[in-house]
Every structure is written in C-alpha cells, then in structure tokens.
Amino acid sequence: MASIELTRITPRLHLLDYSVGQAYLWQDGEPGREELTLIDAGWAGLADETAAAIRSAGLDPDRLRRIVLTHCHRDHVGSAQELADRHGAEILAHGLDAPVIRGEAPVPEPHLLDWEVPLLEHGVGVPEAPPTRVDREVEDGEVLDFGGGAVVVHGPGHTPGSIAVHLPRHGVLFAGDTVASVPDVMFGVFHVDRALALDSMRLFAKLGPSVLCCGHGAPVASDTAARLSAAAATATA
Ligand SMILES: [Zn+2]
C-alpha cells in the first residue's frame, strides 16, 4: 500500500504525493473556517490516508467542498468518490472524460512511444479506479468558485477531456498530465493524441504561471513561465 507524502508549496497550496501520481490541496479561508478543494484524488483505496494527510496540514477533511479531476486516469480519479462521499464534496470533470470516469466508456488508449513503454510498466501497481460519479461537467472558460476564481482550460490530447485549472489571482496552474516536471518541465507522457496535447501545452504556456503543478514531478515555482514556454517551444509531437 502506498503512503502519501504531503508538502506545503504556498500557504494555500499543498502537494499530495501518491508515489505514482499526485493531487493538490487548495485552501480558501482561514483554518477553522477553511474551504478545501482537491485537484485530482490519488489512488483508489487511499481515502483514509488522504484525509490523514489533510489533517496533518492542520486542515479538516470535512471541509472538502469539491474535487476537480484533471482527467480520467486511475492515478488521478482513484479515491475521488470515497472522499466525496465521506466528506460531502462535489466531483467535477470535463464532459468528454466524464463517461470514462463514471465507468461507462473505456479508458482511451495512449499513443505510446517506445521509450514510454517501460514507464507505463512502472505504473502497473496503481489499482484501477472504481466507477466514480461526476456531479458537474465543466467546460472550457468556466470559472469555479475557489482560489479567487478558478478558470477551467480545456486542453485535450493527453485525454479528450483533459483540463488545466488556472488561478490567475495566485498565478497557479494545475496542468494535469499534459505537462510533467520529471525532473524538469517537459511534455507529459502517455498522450492519446500527441499533436493535440502539444497544442494544449503551448496554450497553457501562454498563461504564464508562476507556480506550475503537474500530475507527475515536483511543482515548479521559480522561473516558471520561462521554463514552461521553453519546454513547450522545444517539445515535439
Ligand atoms: Zn494521465
């Protein structure tokens, strides 16, 4: 069973590391009256550990208001429904990935490059996500009620319904798996449509974030916009 490592990135932002895949915890309001949002939800079967990690940050998991899923992959969806049921949160995802998340459509096959195959094998220990409800389907440009206005940016390619979530007031961008930072900012892996995913990465780069939170790899908080732009400019589909 994986353990979860919690790291504070900014006063309102924590990283939850599931060893393969990551989620992020955003805090609005002050402790005691906080409103929490999870971006992605880690592996299936780790709701207890996730709640414990939230508590270890001095926050109350029962104040979890929403879980925003960046896309339908198992290392992002896994504990969403269990956490949402226990703590009274709403689950949000893009309409194009929602049927997969609900278990009504198959997970779209990635276009694997040769060097990605061993990486995929590294992730085989991640349990399949259970069928998971999506309470609200979101679209490009929609503004969600957290982080001073969280903008949904549809960035298809990693999966058809992949999204980034942009907090312009805080300069934070949650990029899902379209972008990775392993070890430095790079084009992600296991994309269903690489050309489309690259267009999406270039779109995200135009947002010029100061903090970049990827599904895999450490958050990037220095020289971020320049590093993202450079990686987007040199990546190839
Ligand atoms: Zn993914």
Side-chain angles (χ1 to χ4, degrees), residues 71 73 75-76 158 177:
H71 64 291
H73 285 156
D75 51 330
H76 298 254
H158 181 66
D177 283 356

Side-chain angles (χ1 to χ4, degrees), residues 70-76 158-159 162 176-178 189-191 215-216:
T70 60
H71 64 291
C72 61
H73 285 156
R74 58 176 67 182
D75 51 330
H76 298 254
H158 181 66
T159 63
S162 279
D177 283 356
T178 303
V189 295
F190 313 148
H191 301 306
H216 300 268

Side-chain angles (χ1 to χ4, degrees), residues 170-194:
H170 299 274
V172 174
L173 182 70
F174 302 98
D177 283 356
T178 303
V179 187
S181 57
V182 187
D184 203 348
V185 182
M186 61 177 274
F187 192 34
V189 295
F190 313 148
H191 301 306
V192 171
D193 183 326
R194 293 181 55 86

Side-chain angles (χ1 to χ4, degrees), residues 103-127:
E104 298 164 357
V107 178
E109 287 291 327
H111 173 124
L112 284 183
L113 303 182
D114 288 345
W115 66 268
E116 293 181 330
V117 175
L119 282 180
L120 190 65
E121 283 157 8
H122 173 69
V124 291
V126 182

Side-chain angles (χ1 to χ4, degrees), residues 110-227:
H111 173 124
L112 284 183
L113 303 182
D114 288 345
W115 66 268
E116 293 181 330
V117 175
L119 282 180
L120 190 65
E121 283 157 8
H122 173 69
V124 291
V126 182
E128 203 176 322
T132 297
R133 70 168 197 267
V134 176
D135 301 303
R136 179 170 161 197
E137 296 186 8
V138 297
E139 289 178 9
D140 184 58
E142 224 172 292
V143 180
L144 309 177
D145 189 20
F146 73 95
V151 184
V152 174
V153 184
H154 183 210
H158 181 66
T159 63
S162 279
I163 56 170
V165 180
H166 184 214
L167 312 185
R169 282 186 49 186
H170 299 274
V172 174
L173 182 70
F174 302 98
D177 283 356
T178 303
V179 187
S181 57
V182 187
D184 203 348
V185 182
M186 61 177 274
F187 192 34
V189 295
F190 313 148
H191 301 306
V192 171
D193 183 326
R194 293 181 55 86
L196 214 51
L198 185 54
D199 288 346
S200 295
M201 184 182 183
R202 290 179 175 156
L203 178 73
F204 296 174
K206 289 192 183 131
L207 300 171
S210 48
V211 180
L212 173 68
C213 298
C214 303
H216 300 268
V220 179
S222 69
D223 216 11
T224 308
R227 287 161 69 188

